[in-house]
Amino acid sequence: MPLCLSVPARTFYQDFHRGVSDALRTLGHEPRMFQFSAIGEPSRPEIEDLVGELDRQKFDAIFDIACWGYGLTHVDLQAPDGRQEPMFDRFGVACAGMLFDHPYNQAINGIRSRRLIATYPDRDHSRVAQLAFPALQVKHATFTPPAIRTTNDYSEPAKQPNKPIDVLFIGNLETAALERFWKLRGNAFWSEAYDPAFCDALADTMLADPDRSLHSGVESTMKDLGGNHGNFDVTSQMRAVEGFLRYTYRHRVMSSLAGSGLSLCIAGKGWEVLDMPANVQRVKGTDYEGLFRLAAQAKICIDASTYLNGANDRVFSYGLNRAVCFTNASGYLREVFGAGQGVHFYSMNGLAELADRIKSMLAQPEGILEEAEQARQAIRSSHTWIHRVGDILSAVRTDIPQPAAHADQPDHRYLRK
């Protein structure tokens, strides 16, 4: 398991490493950490150490969390027949690139491996990856949302009826990304790579139907604009518009709830520059452990997501800490959380109703306690790292050929390099 030392401490990265390594041990495996200093830039001593490790003992797989060890796969070694091969291919090791964001934000395309396993946190991300990286070849792809470590449960049953936070949202806000920055040269997010007409059309498509997946919106926009629209890479357009949507959704949900008079706590950077009513408490930021501690003080937590057919880790962390969650990610999560199991669903098109639903729930504190406990039990029984690691190990052991292209895939002649 590559472990990058330059990633700031007390983030999801270290916590996920602990969760995955503990799960591997529980399942009877022996995880080994390989520390390296910089993402994408292994040093010569680090390369020599890793080659020595691979040469001394047989490893079954590399579990690369967030794909930040991708640079290690760019080292070629000489095979017995004289050919040069990527390091892990030379030693016959499978490589699981574990993504926890949209594929274009983590370097799954930078991993060189004939036995590459892509683990996606959203069922639609395999499709997004195909759009972003048409040349990407994976041996197998698995749907593997992030999971929980049971030690991150900071809730106390005796304090449940007296939780001090009615409604909690955790997430940063980039106010500059609330504008259509692809048209604004002075904006901090502006880039030469953006095609303003395409980004505008995609943003309009997604905002008109916020319950549709990103890849569906991209494919629809490509079809509507035709194949001669411009010379650009679709990856940059997806990254721009999804970033705009991510912060727009957060801002719209919080603004709507704040205006309803609900008692809110918003934890994250960026919110302090906005005018908010007195019913909103703001916490400038928190580390990863602080997320759990805040959730343990909340009755209800809000998730505003662009992972509509998957999940981010917060949904599971909220439930683990006995908080009911409202989320717009209603694809996969609706399947695993039934009625009254502590996860409720809303649409960005129904924000006026969301506040009323939350107020109604807050008026029934016993119902909140019951649902929160059901969520906690469901998450502990089915959404730990042991469950996720078991799925990845199954993929490592399975030799599945690359699926054939489907007739309904987009016309990649439009995607120009």
Side-chain angles (χ1 to χ4, degrees):
M1 295 179 63
L3 178 62
C4 184
L5 300 178
S6 62
V7 177
R10 301 171 71 86
T11 67
F12 81 92
Y13 183 65
Q14 294 85 2
D15 192 84
F16 285 14
H17 258 279
R18 286 192 290 271
V20 173
S21 59
D22 289 347
L24 284 166
R25 291 188 189 94
T26 301
L27 292 169
H29 300 273
E30 183 182 353
R32 295 288 297 273
M33 298 295 172
F34 179 78
Q35 298 182 346
F36 64 103
S37 298
I39 296 174
E41 299 177 358
S43 68
R44 176 53 55 184
E46 289 171 345
I47 292 168
E48 291 174 353
D49 287 347
L50 181 54
V51 171
E53 283 279 309
L54 292 167
D55 200 34
R56 281 190 295 272
Q57 53 189 313
K58 171 67 176 175
F59 288 94
D60 297 308
I62 306 296
F63 278 36
D64 190 358
I65 291 177
C67 302
W68 283 338
Y70 73 91
L72 300 172
T73 71
H74 293 190
V75 178
D76 288 339
L77 301 176
Q78 186 170 312
D81 62 3
R83 292 182 299 110
Q84 294 291 312
E85 292 185 311
M87 184 190 303
F88 297 142
D89 288 346
R90 171 67 183 84
F91 289 97
V93 182
C95 188
M98 301 178 67
L99 293 105
F100 301 107
D101 202 331
H102 288 275
Y104 45 74
N105 289 332
Q106 295 178 332
I108 185 70
N109 65 315
I111 296 178
R112 295 176 58 201
S113 172
R114 287 196 300 268
R115 297 180 63 198
L116 174 59
I117 297 155
T119 79
Y120 298 115
D122 187 296
R123 286 173 173 163
D124 293 325
H125 280 187
S126 179
R127 199 73 195 88
V128 173
Q130 288 179 340
L131 286 165
F133 310 120
L136 178 66
Q137 296 290 322
V138 299
K139 185 73 170 179
H140 188 50
T142 70
F143 170 56
T144 313
I148 58 98
R149 293 194 304 132
T150 56
T151 54
N152 287 331
D153 182 356
Y154 287 82
S155 63
E156 299 179 42
K159 294 184 178 180
Q160 291 303 105
N162 301 310
K163 282 190 170 189
I165 300 174
D166 279 352
V167 183
L168 171 69
F169 175 80
I170 301 176
N172 296 330
L173 181 70
E174 294 283 359
T175 53
L178 295 174
E179 302 179 274
R180 300 193 177 210
F181 51 83
W182 46 83
K183 299 193 290 189
L184 305 171
R185 281 183 175 269
N187 188 288
F189 293 92
W190 183 84
S191 167
E192 288 279 2
Y194 299 149
D195 183 298
F198 187 93
C199 288
D200 269 344
L202 177 57
D204 290 341
T205 295
M206 298 302 296
L207 290 174
D209 184 6
D211 297 326
R212 78 186 299 168
S213 59
L214 180 64
H215 77 84
S216 171
V218 172
E219 291 166 356
S220 174
T221 303
M222 290 166 62
K223 182 178 179 181
D224 291 344
L225 293 180
N228 298 312
H229 176 62
N231 186 11
F232 73 105
D233 68 283
V234 75
T235 306
S236 295
Q237 321 313 316
M238 282 197 291
R239 182 181 290 115
V241 174
E242 186 275 327
F244 165 74
L245 294 172
R246 184 180 301 208
Y247 296 114
T248 296
Y249 290 168
R250 292 178 182 183
H251 183 256
R252 287 186 177 183
V253 173
M254 289 300 100
S255 296
S256 177
L257 295 183
S260 74
L262 280 165
S263 176
L264 302 180
C265 177
I266 302 177
K269 299 175 183 177
W271 298 95
E272 68 277 2
V273 303
L274 301 181
D275 289 331
M276 288 279 186
N279 53 296
V280 179
Q281 172 195 0
R282 281 172 279 190
V283 178
K284 188 168 184 180
T286 179
D287 59 20
Y288 199 63
E289 182 182 332
L291 182 152
F292 310 124
R293 294 187 181 278
L294 280 169
Q297 300 177 57
K299 300 168 186 171
I300 293 173
C301 293
I302 306 297
D303 177 52
S305 180
T306 56
Y307 298 85
L308 301 186
N309 201 17
N312 61 56
D313 55 294
R314 291 171 188 164
V315 173
F316 300 116
S317 296
Y318 294 154
L320 177 68
N321 282 280
R322 292 185 170 93
V324 171
C325 179
F326 280 78
T327 179
N328 64 319
S330 59
Y332 159 72
L333 289 173
R334 193 184 291 275
E335 297 174 16
V336 296
F337 290 98
Q341 286 194 318
V343 178
H344 295 258
F345 303 97
Y346 69 91
S347 168
M348 289 292 164
N349 284 330
L351 296 184
E353 305 166 1
L354 178 60
D356 290 337
R357 292 172 61 194
I358 292 173
K359 288 177 181 178
S360 176
M361 177 163 280
L362 288 170
Q364 305 174 53
E366 292 302 319
I368 293 179
L369 294 178
E370 182 177 341
E371 284 203 25
E373 187 59 38
Q374 287 192 24
R376 179 175 175 273
Q377 294 304 324
I379 289 165
R380 289 172 65 96
S381 66
S382 302
H383 300 282
T384 69
W385 283 114
I386 291 176
H387 297 96
R388 305 296 193 250
V389 168
D391 292 341
I392 298 171
L393 289 172
S394 295
V396 169
R397 299 186 186 104
T398 303
D399 188 12
I400 298 179
Q402 187 78 349
H406 294 293
D408 60 355
Q409 288 183 351
D411 184 356
H412 288 308
R413 289 174 296 179
Y414 183 69
L415 309 180
R416 301 200 177 115
K417 295 182 180 179

